[in-house]
Amino acid sequence: APASPAAAPHLARTVSFHPGVVEMASAQTVTVAVGEDRGGIDVVSRVVRVSRASGLALSPTGQPVQNMSVGIANLSTGSIYSSMGIVRADANGKFSAGALTPGRWMLFGRAAEPNTASDASYPWWGSVEFVLGEQDVTDLVLTFSEGSTVTGRLVFNGTGKPPDPARLRVTLTALPAVPETGPFPVSATPAADGTFVLKPVPAGKYRVTMAPAAGWVLHTGTSGGADVLDTPVEIMQGQDASVTLTMTDRITEITGTLLDQLG
C-alpha cells in the first residue's frame, strides 16, 4: 500500500521578545533612566513551525497520574520555557504540550496521589527529555518516583562546646543543568545525637549546605569516600545515600586592607 502522506506542519504565533526573538535567553534588556523616554522597542510577533508533545504520566507504582504540576525547559537553549503548572494530566494520566519549536526539550515537575490539595506537599518527582522535529511526538512516558533517603550525622571537631544540633539545619539544594528546573531544596534538623534524615530526595546532583552557629562552621563533608563540599553529591535513582558532616570551631581567617586607586 502507498505510504500515507506526512501531516502538514503546524504554524503558530509564538511568544516573542525584543528585538524579535522567541527565546527569553536571547532577548535584549532595555534600561530606562528616571524621566527618560525610549522608542523603537519593537516586538515582532513571529509565525514559526511548531509541534506538539503528548504522552502518559505514571506514578511510582505504574498507575496513571492525575494530580501533577509539570513545566517545560528548552534544552537547546538552556533556558526554562514555562515553570511548573503549565502541563496537566487528565483522569487517565494523558497530557499534552503544544506550540513547541523544533529542538531538544524536557518536561519536569512533581506529582502526588489523587485529591492532594494544590498547596500540599507533592512528594513524587519526574522528568523526561525528548526531541521535536517537524512532526508531533505522541509516545512520551513521564514516570514519577518517590525519591531516595539521605541519612547522615554531624561530627564536632574542636576545642569549645559544640552547638545544639536542634539549632542547625542541613540542606540539599539541587543543581540542575537548566536553572529553575530542579526539585525544591530538602532540609532537616539534626537530632540530639547529630543524626539527620533527608527525604524524599529525587535523583540528581545537589549542593550540601549548613549555616554557621555559635562560632562553629562546616569543615568537611563526605559521602562514599568523596568530598561533597567542593563537588556536588549525586543521588542515583532508587539508591539511598549517607553523608558525614564535620564542624569545627578552629576557624581560619584572612585579613587585609582595601585600597582605592589613589592608594
Side-chain angles (χ1 to χ4, degrees):
S4 300
H10 300 291
L11 300 176
R13 294 192 179 275
T14 186
V15 177
S16 301
F17 301 90
H18 172 70
V21 296
V22 297
E23 293 294 341
M24 185 181 297
S26 303
Q28 291 185 7
T29 301
V30 179
T31 302
V32 182
V34 176
E36 178 186 8
D37 294 332
R38 292 289 303 273
I41 311 301
D42 300 326
V43 178
V44 179
S45 178
R46 296 188 178 276
V47 176
V48 298
R49 188 186 301 270
V50 296
S51 300
R52 178 174 295 274
S54 59
L56 181 66
L58 298 178
S59 71
T61 59
Q63 300 301 311
V65 168
Q66 305 176 25
N67 199 3
M68 74 178 196
S69 179
V70 171
I72 309 174
N74 190 331
L75 299 179
S76 297
T77 61
S79 61
I80 188 170
Y81 179 82
S82 177
S83 58
M84 290 184 290
I86 191 173
V87 180
R88 297 283 184 175
D90 63 16
N92 298 316
K94 296 181 179 180
F95 63 85
S96 179
L100 303 179
T101 56
R104 294 177 55 240
W105 295 87
M106 179 178 70
L107 299 177
F108 66 94
R110 54 199 183 110
E113 294 282 1
N115 302 320
T116 301
S118 59
D119 58 349
S121 174
Y122 279 45
W124 306 336
W125 180 263
S127 65
V128 61
E129 299 182 12
F130 58 96
V131 177
L132 272 180
E134 296 182 358
Q135 303 300 322
D136 295 343
V137 173
T138 61
D139 56 354
L140 292 178
V141 177
L142 176 56
T143 302
F144 293 92
S145 64
E146 294 179 329
S148 302
T149 299
V150 177
T151 58
R153 64 188 182 95
L154 289 178
V155 177
F156 299 99
N157 185 7
T159 59
K161 180 181 178 181
D164 182 3
R167 296 181 177 273
L168 303 175
R169 193 77 173 167
V170 181
T171 301
L172 290 179
T173 303
L175 301 173
V178 177
E180 300 181 29
T181 63
F184 298 135
V186 183
S187 300
T189 298
D193 60 356
T195 59
F196 57 87
V197 178
L198 297 157
K199 66 176 184 180
V201 183
K205 295 182 178 181
Y206 292 83
R207 180 176 65 249
V208 182
T209 58
M210 188 168 59
W216 289 73
V217 298
L218 193 57
H219 183 216
T220 62
T222 57
S223 177
D227 188 325
V228 296
L229 297 188
D230 293 334
T231 58
V233 55
E234 185 169 5
I235 305 302
M236 307 301 293
Q237 181 70 40
Q239 298 182 14
D240 295 337
S242 62
V243 177
T244 300
L245 303 177
T246 301
M247 299 189 72
T248 182
D249 61 353
R250 296 192 289 267
I251 302 174
T252 301
E253 295 182 349
I254 298 177
T255 62
T257 303
L258 179 64
L259 304 177
D260 64 13
Q261 68 270 26
L262 300 179

